[in-house]
Coordinates of all heavy atoms in Angstrom, one line a residue:
M1 N 93.2 68.5 70.2 CA 93.7 69.1 71.5 C 92.7 70.2 72.0 O 92.4 71.1 71.2 CB 95.1 69.7 71.3 CG 95.7 70.4 72.4 SD 97.3 71.2 72.1 CE 97.3 72.3 73.4
F2 N 92.3 70.0 73.2 CA 91.4 71.0 73.8 C 92.2 72.1 74.4 O 93.2 72.0 75.1 CB 90.6 70.4 74.9 CG 89.6 71.3 75.5 CD1 88.6 71.9 74.8 CD2 89.8 71.7 76.9 CE1 87.7 72.8 75.5 CE2 89.0 72.6 77.5 CZ 87.9 73.1 76.8
Q3 N 91.9 73.3 74.1 CA 92.6 74.4 74.7 C 91.6 75.6 75.0 O 90.7 75.8 74.2 CB 93.6 75.0 73.6 CG 94.4 76.1 74.0 CD 95.4 76.6 73.0 OE1 95.7 75.8 72.1 NE2 96.0 77.7 73.1
F4 N 91.8 76.3 76.0 CA 91.1 77.5 76.3 C 91.9 78.6 76.8 O 92.9 78.4 77.4 CB 89.9 77.2 77.3 CG 90.3 76.6 78.6 CD1 90.7 77.5 79.6 CD2 90.3 75.3 78.9 CE1 91.1 77.0 80.8 CE2 90.7 74.8 80.1 CZ 91.1 75.6 81.1
N5 N 91.4 79.8 76.6 CA 92.1 80.9 77.1 C 91.3 81.7 78.1 O 90.1 81.9 77.8 CB 92.4 81.9 75.9 CG 93.5 81.2 75.0 OD1 94.6 80.8 75.5 ND2 93.2 81.1 73.8
Y6 N 91.9 82.2 79.1 CA 91.2 83.1 80.1 C 92.1 84.3 80.1 O 93.2 84.3 80.3 CB 91.0 82.5 81.4 CG 89.9 81.5 81.5 CD1 90.2 80.2 82.0 CD2 88.6 81.9 81.2 CE1 89.1 79.3 82.1 CE2 87.6 80.9 81.3 CZ 87.9 79.6 81.8 OH 86.9 78.7 81.8
K7 N 91.4 85.5 80.1 CA 92.0 86.7 80.4 C 91.3 87.4 81.5 O 90.1 87.7 81.3 CB 92.1 87.6 79.2 CG 92.9 88.8 79.3 CD 92.9 89.6 78.0 CE 93.7 91.0 78.2 NZ 93.7 91.7 77.0
L8 N 91.9 87.6 82.6 CA 91.2 88.1 83.7 C 91.6 89.6 84.0 O 92.8 89.8 84.1 CB 91.5 87.3 85.0 CG 90.8 87.7 86.3 CD1 89.3 87.5 86.2 CD2 91.4 87.0 87.5
K9 N 90.6 90.4 84.0 CA 91.0 91.8 84.2 C 89.8 92.4 85.0 O 88.7 92.5 84.5 CB 91.1 92.5 82.8 CG 91.6 93.9 82.9 CD 91.9 94.4 81.5 CE 92.6 95.8 81.5 NZ 92.9 96.3 80.2
V10 N 90.1 92.9 86.2 CA 89.1 93.5 87.0 C 89.7 94.9 87.5 O 90.8 95.0 88.1 CB 88.9 92.7 88.3 CG1 87.8 93.5 89.2 CG2 88.3 91.3 87.9
A11 N 88.9 95.9 87.1 CA 89.3 97.2 87.6 C 88.1 98.0 87.8 O 87.5 98.6 86.9 CB 90.2 97.9 86.5
E12 N 87.7 98.1 89.0 CA 86.5 98.9 89.4 C 86.9 99.7 90.6 O 87.5 99.3 91.5 CB 85.3 98.0 89.8 CG 84.7 97.1 88.7 CD 84.2 98.0 87.5 OE1 83.7 99.1 87.7 OE2 84.1 97.5 86.3
R13 N 86.5 101.0 90.5 CA 86.8 101.9 91.7 C 85.4 102.3 92.3 O 84.5 102.8 91.5 CB 87.6 103.1 91.1 CG 88.0 104.0 92.3 CD 88.8 105.1 91.7 NE 90.1 104.6 91.3 CZ 91.2 104.5 92.0 NH1 91.2 104.9 93.3 NH2 92.3 104.0 91.5
V14 N 85.2 102.0 93.5 CA 84.0 102.3 94.2 C 84.2 103.1 95.4 O 85.1 102.8 96.2 CB 83.3 101.0 94.6 CG1 82.0 101.3 95.3 CG2 82.9 100.2 93.4
K15 N 83.4 104.2 95.5 CA 83.6 105.0 96.8 C 82.1 105.2 97.3 O 81.3 105.9 96.7 CB 84.2 106.4 96.4 CG 84.6 107.1 97.7 CD 85.3 108.4 97.3 CE 85.8 109.1 98.5 NZ 86.6 110.3 98.2
A16 N 81.8 104.4 98.3 CA 80.5 104.3 98.8 C 80.4 104.8 100.3 O 81.3 104.4 101.1 CB 79.9 102.9 98.7
K17 N 79.3 105.5 100.6 CA 79.2 105.9 102.0 C 77.7 106.1 102.3 O 76.9 106.5 101.4 CB 79.9 107.3 102.1 CG 79.9 107.9 103.5 CD 80.8 109.1 103.6 CE 80.2 110.3 103.0 NZ 81.0 111.5 103.2
C18 N 77.3 105.7 103.5 CA 75.9 105.9 103.9 C 75.7 107.3 104.3 O 76.5 107.9 105.1 CB 75.6 105.0 105.1 SG 74.0 105.1 105.7
E19 N 74.6 107.9 103.8 CA 74.4 109.3 104.1 C 74.1 109.6 105.6 O 74.4 110.5 106.2 CB 73.2 109.8 103.2 CG 73.5 109.9 101.8 CD 74.4 111.0 101.4 OE1 74.3 112.1 102.1 OE2 75.2 110.9 100.5
R20 N 73.4 108.6 106.2 CA 73.0 108.6 107.5 C 74.0 108.2 108.5 O 74.1 108.7 109.7 CB 71.7 107.8 107.8 CG 70.5 108.4 107.3 CD 69.2 107.6 107.6 NE 69.2 106.4 106.7 CZ 68.3 105.4 106.8 NH1 67.5 105.4 107.7 NH2 68.4 104.4 106.0
H21 N 74.9 107.3 108.1 CA 76.0 106.9 108.9 C 77.3 107.0 108.2 O 77.8 105.9 107.9 CB 75.7 105.4 109.4 CG 74.3 105.2 109.9 ND1 73.3 104.6 109.2 CD2 73.8 105.5 111.1 CE1 72.2 104.6 109.9 NE2 72.5 105.1 111.1
P22 N 77.8 108.2 108.0 CA 79.0 108.4 107.2 C 80.2 107.7 107.9 O 81.2 107.5 107.2 CB 79.1 109.9 107.1 CG 78.3 110.4 108.3 CD 77.2 109.5 108.5
R23 N 80.2 107.4 109.2 CA 81.3 106.8 109.8 C 81.3 105.4 109.8 O 82.3 104.7 110.2 CB 81.4 107.4 111.3 CG 81.6 108.8 111.4 CD 81.6 109.2 112.9 NE 82.8 108.6 113.6 CZ 84.0 109.1 113.7 NH1 84.2 110.3 113.1 NH2 85.0 108.5 114.3
Y24 N 80.3 104.7 109.2 CA 80.2 103.2 109.2 C 81.2 102.8 108.2 O 81.2 103.2 107.0 CB 78.8 102.8 108.8 CG 78.8 101.3 108.6 CD1 79.0 100.5 109.7 CD2 78.6 100.8 107.4 CE1 79.0 99.1 109.6 CE2 78.6 99.4 107.2 CZ 78.8 98.6 108.2 OH 78.9 97.2 108.1
N25 N 82.1 101.9 108.6 CA 83.1 101.3 107.7 C 82.9 99.7 107.9 O 83.2 99.2 108.9 CB 84.5 101.6 108.2 CG 85.6 101.1 107.3 OD1 85.4 100.1 106.6 ND2 86.7 101.7 107.4
P26 N 82.4 99.1 106.7 CA 82.1 97.7 106.9 C 83.4 96.8 107.2 O 83.2 95.8 107.8 CB 81.5 97.4 105.5 CG 82.0 98.5 104.6 CD 82.0 99.7 105.5
E27 N 84.5 97.3 106.7 CA 85.7 96.6 106.9 C 86.1 96.6 108.4 O 86.5 95.6 109.0 CB 86.9 97.2 106.1 CG 88.1 96.3 106.2 CD 89.2 96.9 105.2 OE1 89.0 98.0 104.7 OE2 90.1 96.2 104.9
R28 N 85.9 97.7 109.1 CA 86.2 97.9 110.4 C 85.1 97.5 111.5 O 85.4 96.9 112.5 CB 86.7 99.4 110.7 CG 87.3 99.6 112.1 CD 87.5 101.1 112.3 NE 86.2 101.8 112.1 CZ 86.1 103.0 111.6 NH1 87.1 103.6 110.9 NH2 84.9 103.6 111.4
D29 N 83.9 97.9 111.0 CA 82.8 97.8 112.0 C 82.0 96.5 111.8 O 81.3 96.0 112.7 CB 81.8 98.9 111.8 CG 82.5 100.3 112.0 OD1 83.4 100.4 112.8 OD2 82.1 101.3 111.3
G30 N 82.1 95.9 110.6 CA 81.4 94.6 110.4 C 79.9 94.7 110.4 O 79.3 95.8 110.4
R31 N 79.3 93.5 110.5 CA 77.8 93.5 110.4 C 77.3 94.1 111.8 O 76.2 94.8 111.8 CB 77.3 92.1 110.2 CG 75.8 92.0 110.2 CD 75.4 90.5 110.1 NE 75.6 90.0 108.8 CZ 74.6 90.0 107.9 NH1 73.4 90.5 108.2 NH2 74.8 89.5 106.7
G32 N 77.9 93.8 112.8 CA 77.5 94.3 114.2 C 77.5 95.8 114.3 O 76.9 96.3 115.2
G33 N 78.3 96.6 113.4 CA 78.3 97.9 113.6 C 77.2 98.7 112.9 O 77.1 99.9 112.8
I34 N 76.3 98.0 112.3 CA 75.2 98.5 111.5 C 74.1 99.0 112.5 O 73.6 98.2 113.3 CB 74.6 97.6 110.5 CG1 75.6 97.2 109.5 CG2 73.4 98.2 109.8 CD1 75.2 96.2 108.5
K35 N 73.7 100.3 112.4 CA 72.8 100.8 113.5 C 71.4 100.9 112.8 O 71.2 101.3 111.8 CB 73.3 102.3 113.8 CG 74.6 102.3 114.6 CD 75.1 103.7 114.9 CE 76.4 103.7 115.6 NZ 77.1 105.0 115.4
G36 N 70.5 100.4 113.7 CA 69.0 100.4 113.3 C 68.7 99.6 112.1 O 67.7 100.1 111.5
G37 N 69.5 98.7 111.7 CA 69.1 97.9 110.5 C 69.1 98.7 109.3 O 68.4 98.4 108.4
C38 N 70.0 99.7 109.2 CA 70.0 100.6 108.0 C 70.3 99.8 106.7 O 71.3 99.0 106.6 CB 71.1 101.6 108.2 SG 71.4 102.7 106.8
S39 N 69.5 99.9 105.8 CA 69.6 99.1 104.5 C 70.8 99.6 103.7 O 71.4 98.7 103.1 CB 68.3 99.2 103.7 OG 68.1 100.6 103.3
T40 N 71.1 100.9 103.8 CA 72.3 101.3 103.1 C 73.6 100.7 103.7 O 74.5 100.2 103.0 CB 72.4 102.8 103.0 OG1 71.1 103.4 102.5 CG2 73.5 103.3 102.2
C41 N 73.7 100.7 105.0 CA 74.9 100.1 105.6 C 74.9 98.6 105.3 O 76.0 98.1 105.1 CB 74.7 100.4 107.1 SG 75.1 102.1 107.6
F42 N 73.8 97.9 105.3 CA 73.8 96.5 105.0 C 74.3 96.4 103.5 O 75.0 95.4 103.2 CB 72.4 96.0 105.0 CG 72.1 95.3 106.4 CD1 71.2 95.8 107.3 CD2 72.8 94.2 106.8 CE1 71.0 95.2 108.6 CE2 72.7 93.6 108.0 CZ 71.7 94.1 108.9
S43 N 73.9 97.3 102.6 CA 74.3 97.2 101.2 C 75.9 97.4 101.2 O 76.6 96.7 100.5 CB 73.7 98.3 100.4 OG 72.3 98.0 100.3
L44 N 76.4 98.3 102.1 CA 77.8 98.5 102.1 C 78.5 97.3 102.6 O 79.6 96.8 102.1 CB 78.2 99.7 103.0 CG 77.7 101.0 102.5 CD1 78.1 102.2 103.5 CD2 78.2 101.3 101.1
F45 N 77.9 96.7 103.7 CA 78.5 95.5 104.2 C 78.5 94.3 103.1 O 79.5 93.6 102.9 CB 77.7 95.0 105.4 CG 78.2 93.7 106.1 CD1 79.3 93.8 106.9 CD2 77.5 92.6 105.8 CE1 79.8 92.6 107.4 CE2 78.0 91.4 106.4 CZ 79.1 91.4 107.2
D46 N 77.4 94.2 102.4 CA 77.3 93.1 101.4 C 78.3 93.4 100.3 O 78.9 92.5 99.7 CB 75.9 93.1 100.8 CG 74.9 92.5 101.7 OD1 75.3 91.9 102.7 OD2 73.7 92.8 101.5
L47 N 78.6 94.7 99.9 CA 79.6 95.0 98.9 C 80.9 94.7 99.4 O 81.7 94.2 98.6 CB 79.5 96.6 98.7 CG 80.4 97.2 97.7 CD1 80.2 96.6 96.3 CD2 80.3 98.7 97.7
H48 N 81.1 94.9 100.6 CA 82.5 94.5 101.3 C 82.7 93.0 101.2 O 83.7 92.5 100.8 CB 82.6 95.1 102.6 CG 83.9 94.6 103.4 ND1 85.1 94.9 102.9 CD2 84.1 93.9 104.4 CE1 86.0 94.5 103.7 NE2 85.4 93.8 104.7
Q49 N 81.7 92.3 101.5 CA 81.7 90.8 101.4 C 82.0 90.4 100.0 O 82.8 89.5 99.8 CB 80.4 90.1 102.0 CG 80.2 90.4 103.5 CD 81.3 89.7 104.3 OE1 81.6 88.6 104.2 NE2 81.9 90.5 105.1
A50 N 81.3 91.0 99.1 CA 81.5 90.6 97.6 C 82.9 91.0 97.2 O 83.5 90.2 96.5 CB 80.5 91.4 96.8
R51 N 83.4 92.0 97.8 CA 84.9 92.4 97.4 C 85.8 91.3 97.9 O 86.8 90.9 97.3 CB 85.2 93.7 98.1 CG 86.6 94.1 98.1 CD 87.2 94.4 96.7 NE 88.7 94.2 96.7 CZ 89.5 95.1 97.1 NH1 89.1 96.2 97.5 NH2 90.8 94.8 97.1
L52 N 85.6 90.8 99.2 CA 86.4 89.8 99.8 C 86.2 88.5 99.0 O 87.3 87.8 98.7 CB 86.0 89.5 101.2 CG 86.3 90.7 102.2 CD1 85.8 90.3 103.6 CD2 87.7 91.1 102.3
S53 N 85.0 88.1 98.6 CA 84.8 87.0 97.8 C 85.6 87.1 96.4 O 86.2 86.1 96.0 CB 83.4 86.8 97.5 OG 82.7 86.5 98.7
L54 N 85.5 88.3 95.9 CA 86.2 88.5 94.6 C 87.7 88.4 94.7 O 88.3 87.8 93.9 CB 85.9 89.9 94.0 CG 86.4 90.3 92.7 CD1 85.9 89.4 91.6 CD2 86.0 91.7 92.3
D55 N 88.2 88.9 95.8 CA 89.7 88.8 96.1 C 90.1 87.3 96.2 O 91.1 86.9 95.7 CB 90.1 89.6 97.4 CG 90.1 91.1 97.1 OD1 90.1 91.5 95.9 OD2 90.2 91.8 98.0
A56 N 89.2 86.6 97.0 CA 89.6 85.2 97.2 C 89.5 84.4 95.9 O 90.4 83.6 95.6 CB 88.6 84.6 98.2
A57 N 88.5 84.8 95.1 CA 88.3 84.0 93.7 C 89.5 84.4 92.9 O 90.1 83.6 92.1 CB 87.1 84.4 93.1
H58 N 90.0 85.7 92.9 CA 91.1 86.2 92.1 C 92.3 85.3 92.5 O 93.1 84.9 91.7 CB 91.3 87.6 92.3 CG 92.3 88.2 91.4 ND1 92.9 89.5 91.7 CD2 92.9 87.8 90.3 CE1 93.7 89.7 90.7 NE2 93.8 88.8 89.9
R59 N 92.6 85.3 93.8 CA 93.8 84.6 94.3 C 93.7 83.1 93.9 O 94.8 82.5 93.5 CB 93.9 84.7 95.8 CG 94.4 86.0 96.4 CD 94.8 85.8 97.8 NE 93.7 85.5 98.7 CZ 92.8 86.4 99.2 NH1 93.1 87.7 99.0 NH2 91.8 86.0 100.0
D60 N 92.5 82.5 94.0 CA 92.3 81.1 93.6 C 92.6 80.9 92.1 O 93.3 80.0 91.7 CB 90.9 80.6 93.9 CG 90.8 79.1 93.8 OD1 91.7 78.4 94.4 OD2 89.8 78.7 93.4
F61 N 92.1 81.9 91.3 CA 92.3 81.8 89.9 C 93.8 81.9 89.6 O 94.4 81.1 88.8 CB 91.5 83.0 89.2 CG 91.8 83.0 87.7 CD1 90.9 82.4 86.9 CD2 92.8 83.8 87.2 CE1 91.1 82.4 85.5 CE2 93.0 83.9 85.8 CZ 92.2 83.2 84.9
L62 N 94.5 82.9 90.2 CA 95.9 83.0 89.9 C 96.7 81.7 90.3 O 97.7 81.4 89.6 CB 96.5 84.2 90.7 CG 96.0 85.5 90.2 CD1 96.6 86.7 91.0 CD2 96.3 85.7 88.7
R63 N 96.3 81.1 91.5 CA 97.1 80.0 92.0 C 96.9 78.8 91.0 O 97.8 78.2 90.7 CB 96.5 79.6 93.4 CG 97.2 78.5 94.1 CD 96.7 78.2 95.4 NE 95.3 78.0 95.5 CZ 94.7 76.8 95.3 NH1 95.5 75.8 95.0 NH2 93.4 76.6 95.3
R64 N 95.6 78.7 90.6 CA 95.4 77.5 89.7 C 95.9 77.8 88.3 O 96.2 76.8 87.4 CB 93.9 77.3 89.6 CG 93.3 76.8 90.9 CD 91.8 76.6 90.8 NE 91.2 76.3 92.1 CZ 91.1 75.1 92.6 NH1 91.6 74.1 91.9 NH2 90.6 74.9 93.7
A65 N 96.0 79.0 87.8 CA 96.4 79.3 86.5 C 97.9 79.4 86.4 O 98.5 79.3 85.3 CB 95.8 80.7 86.0
L66 N 98.6 79.5 87.5 CA 100.1 79.8 87.5 C 100.9 78.8 86.7 O 101.7 79.2 85.9 CB 100.6 79.8 88.9 CG 102.1 80.2 89.1 CD1 102.2 81.7 88.6 CD2 102.6 80.1 90.6
P67 N 100.6 77.5 86.8 CA 101.3 76.5 86.0 C 101.2 76.7 84.5 O 102.1 76.2 83.8 CB 100.8 75.1 86.5 CG 100.1 75.4 87.8 CD 99.6 76.8 87.7
W68 N 100.1 77.3 84.1 CA 99.9 77.5 82.7 C 100.1 78.9 82.2 O 99.8 79.2 81.0 CB 98.5 77.0 82.3 CG 98.3 75.5 82.5 CD1 98.8 74.6 81.5 CD2 97.8 74.8 83.5 NE1 98.5 73.3 82.0 CE2 97.9 73.5 83.2 CE3 97.2 75.3 84.7 CZ2 97.4 72.5 84.1 CZ3 96.7 74.2 85.6 CH2 96.8 72.9 85.3
T69 N 100.4 79.8 83.1 CA 100.5 81.2 82.7 C 101.8 81.4 81.9 O 102.8 81.0 82.2 CB 100.6 82.0 84.0 OG1 99.4 81.8 84.8 CG2 100.7 83.6 83.6
R70 N 101.5 82.2 80.8 CA 102.6 82.7 80.0 C 102.7 84.1 80.2 O 101.8 84.9 80.2 CB 102.3 82.4 78.5 CG 102.4 80.9 78.1 CD 102.2 80.8 76.6 NE 100.9 81.2 76.2 CZ 100.5 81.4 74.9 NH1 101.5 81.1 74.0 NH2 99.3 81.8 74.5
V71 N 104.0 84.4 80.5 CA 104.3 85.9 80.8 C 104.5 86.6 79.5 O 105.3 86.2 78.6 CB 105.6 86.0 81.6 CG1 106.0 87.5 81.8 CG2 105.5 85.3 83.0
R72 N 103.7 87.6 79.3 CA 103.7 88.4 78.1 C 104.9 89.4 78.2 O 105.1 90.0 79.2 CB 102.4 89.2 77.9 CG 101.3 88.3 77.5 CD 100.0 89.1 77.4 NE 100.1 90.2 76.5 CZ 99.2 91.1 76.2 NH1 98.0 90.9 76.9 NH2 99.3 92.0 75.5
Q73 N 105.7 89.5 77.1 CA 106.8 90.4 77.0 C 106.2 91.8 76.9 O 105.3 92.1 76.1 CB 107.6 90.1 75.8 CG 108.2 88.7 75.9 CD 109.1 88.5 77.1 OE1 109.9 89.5 77.4 NE2 109.1 87.4 77.7
P74 N 106.6 92.7 77.8 CA 106.1 94.1 77.8 C 106.7 94.7 76.5 O 107.8 94.5 76.0 CB 106.8 94.7 79.0 CG 108.0 93.9 79.3 CD 107.6 92.5 78.9
R75 N 105.8 95.6 75.9 CA 106.1 96.3 74.7 C 106.6 97.7 75.1 O 105.9 98.4 75.8 CB 104.9 96.3 73.8 CG 104.6 95.0 73.1 CD 103.4 95.2 72.3 NE 102.2 95.2 73.2 CZ 101.0 95.4 72.7 NH1 100.7 95.6 71.5 NH2 99.9 95.5 73.5
N76 N 107.6 98.1 74.4 CA 108.2 99.5 74.6 C 108.4 99.9 76.0 O 108.2 101.0 76.4 CB 107.1 100.5 73.9 CG 107.0 100.2 72.5 OD1 107.9 99.8 71.8 ND2 105.8 100.4 72.0
R77 N 108.8 98.8 76.8 CA 109.2 99.2 78.2 C 110.5 98.7 78.6 O 110.8 98.1 79.6 CB 108.1 98.5 79.1 CG 106.8 99.3 79.1 CD 105.9 98.8 80.2 NE 104.7 99.6 80.3 CZ 103.7 99.4 81.1 NH1 103.9 98.5 82.1 NH2 102.7 100.1 81.2
S78 N 111.5 98.9 77.7 CA 112.8 98.3 77.9 C 113.5 99.0 79.0 O 114.4 98.5 79.6 CB 113.6 98.4 76.6 OG 113.6 99.8 76.2
N79 N 113.0 100.2 79.4 CA 113.7 100.9 80.5 C 113.1 100.6 81.8 O 113.5 101.2 82.8 CB 113.5 102.5 80.2 CG 112.1 102.9 80.1 OD1 111.2 102.0 80.0 ND2 111.8 104.1 80.1
A80 N 112.3 99.6 81.8 CA 111.7 99.1 83.2 C 112.4 97.7 83.4 O 111.8 96.7 83.0 CB 110.2 99.0 83.1
P81 N 113.5 97.6 84.1 CA 114.1 96.3 84.4 C 113.2 95.5 85.3 O 112.5 95.9 86.2 CB 115.3 96.7 85.0 CG 115.1 98.0 85.7 CD 114.1 98.7 84.8
R82 N 113.2 94.2 85.0 CA 112.4 93.2 85.8 C 113.3 92.6 86.8 O 114.2 91.8 86.5 CB 111.8 92.1 84.9 CG 110.8 92.7 83.9 CD 110.5 91.7 82.8 NE 110.0 90.5 83.4 CZ 109.8 89.4 82.8 NH1 110.1 89.3 81.5 NH2 109.3 88.3 83.3
Q83 N 113.2 93.1 88.1 CA 114.2 92.7 89.1 C 114.0 91.3 89.6 O 115.1 90.6 90.0 CB 114.1 93.7 90.3 CG 114.4 95.1 89.9 CD 114.1 96.1 90.9 OE1 113.5 95.7 91.9 NE2 114.7 97.3 90.8
N84 N 112.9 90.7 89.6 CA 112.6 89.4 90.1 C 112.8 88.3 89.1 O 112.6 87.2 89.4 CB 111.2 89.4 90.7 CG 111.0 90.4 91.8 OD1 111.9 90.7 92.5 ND2 109.7 90.8 91.9
D85 N 113.2 88.6 87.9 CA 113.2 87.7 86.9 C 114.5 87.9 86.1 O 114.5 88.5 85.0 CB 112.0 87.9 86.0 CG 111.6 86.6 85.2 OD1 112.4 85.6 85.4 OD2 110.7 86.6 84.5
P86 N 115.6 87.3 86.6 CA 116.9 87.5 85.8 C 116.9 86.7 84.5 O 116.0 85.8 84.4 CB 118.0 86.9 86.8 CG 117.2 86.0 87.7 CD 115.8 86.6 87.9
P87 N 117.5 87.1 83.6 CA 117.6 86.4 82.3 C 118.0 85.0 82.4 O 118.7 84.7 83.3 CB 118.6 87.2 81.4 CG 118.7 88.5 82.1 CD 118.5 88.3 83.6
F88 N 117.4 84.2 81.6 CA 117.7 82.7 81.7 C 119.2 82.5 81.5 O 119.8 82.9 80.6 CB 116.9 82.0 80.6 CG 117.1 80.5 80.6 CD1 116.4 79.7 81.6 CD2 117.8 79.9 79.6 CE1 116.6 78.4 81.6 CE2 118.1 78.5 79.7 CZ 117.3 77.8 80.7
G89 N 119.7 81.6 82.4 CA 121.1 81.2 82.3 C 122.0 82.2 83.0 O 123.2 82.0 82.9
S90 N 121.6 83.3 83.6 CA 122.4 84.2 84.1 C 122.9 83.9 85.5 O 123.9 84.4 86.1 CB 121.7 85.6 84.2 OG 120.7 85.5 85.1
Q91 N 122.2 82.9 86.2 CA 122.6 82.5 87.4 C 123.2 81.1 87.4 O 122.7 80.2 86.7 CB 121.4 82.4 88.5 CG 120.9 83.8 88.8 CD 119.7 83.7 89.7 OE1 118.9 82.8 89.8 NE2 119.6 84.7 90.6
P92 N 124.4 80.9 88.1 CA 124.9 79.4 88.2 C 124.0 78.5 88.8 O 123.3 78.9 89.7 CB 126.2 79.7 89.0 CG 125.9 80.9 89.9 CD 125.0 81.8 89.0
L93 N 124.0 77.3 88.3 CA 123.2 76.3 88.9 C 123.6 75.7 90.1 O 124.8 75.7 90.5 CB 123.0 75.1 87.8 CG 122.2 75.6 86.5 CD1 122.2 74.5 85.5 CD2 120.8 76.1 86.8
Ligands
LIG101 ZN1 73.5 103.6 107.3

């Protein structure tokens, strides 16, 4: 039997700003908002595009993995009720 395991974990915090164009926001201004072909702003734009691609890949991963996903039981968190997941058999069929 062939079996593989994937554990996906992404946690990066980035705070980037162009020194010359501190008001440039790649999410709001897009590629067209880059002034004078500024390489730093282009880098910010590319970073934003990479972020969007990563989000899309993450969503695709979750969607494809969902049928095989096993929910891990939280350890030492009995005081955090799981509202979206009632105990098995607690609801009438
Ligand atoms: Zn710039």
Side-chain angles (χ1 to χ4, degrees):
M1 175 183 159
F2 178 69
Q3 180 180 345
F4 59 83
N5 292 304
Y6 283 124
K7 182 177 180 181
L8 182 66
K9 190 173 185 180
V10 178
E12 296 292 338
R13 184 175 293 269
V14 175
K15 191 170 184 177
K17 187 171 72 172
C18 178
E19 293 287 328
R20 284 182 284 172
H21 311 101
R23 295 179 64 87
Y24 175 68
N25 181 339
E27 187 174 15
R28 188 187 60 220
D29 304 327
R31 180 185 284 268
I34 298 175
K35 292 174 182 160
C38 176
S39 61
T40 303
C41 287
F42 266 112
S43 292
L44 296 180
F45 179 78
D46 289 341
L47 177 64
H48 176 61
Q49 292 299 305
R51 166 70 202 277
L52 294 179
S53 298
L54 184 62
D55 283 348
H58 187 199
R59 280 194 301 272
D60 192 42
F61 179 89
L62 292 179
R63 182 175 60 83
R64 293 176 188 275
L66 189 64
W68 292 280
T69 300
R70 286 189 296 173
V71 178
R72 291 175 54 181
Q73 297 298 318
R75 285 177 288 176
N76 299 327
R77 286 191 175 183
S78 57
N79 57 352
R82 296 166 58 191
Q83 297 172 345
N84 297 332
D85 202 359
F88 180 74
S90 64
Q91 289 183 331
L93 296 174

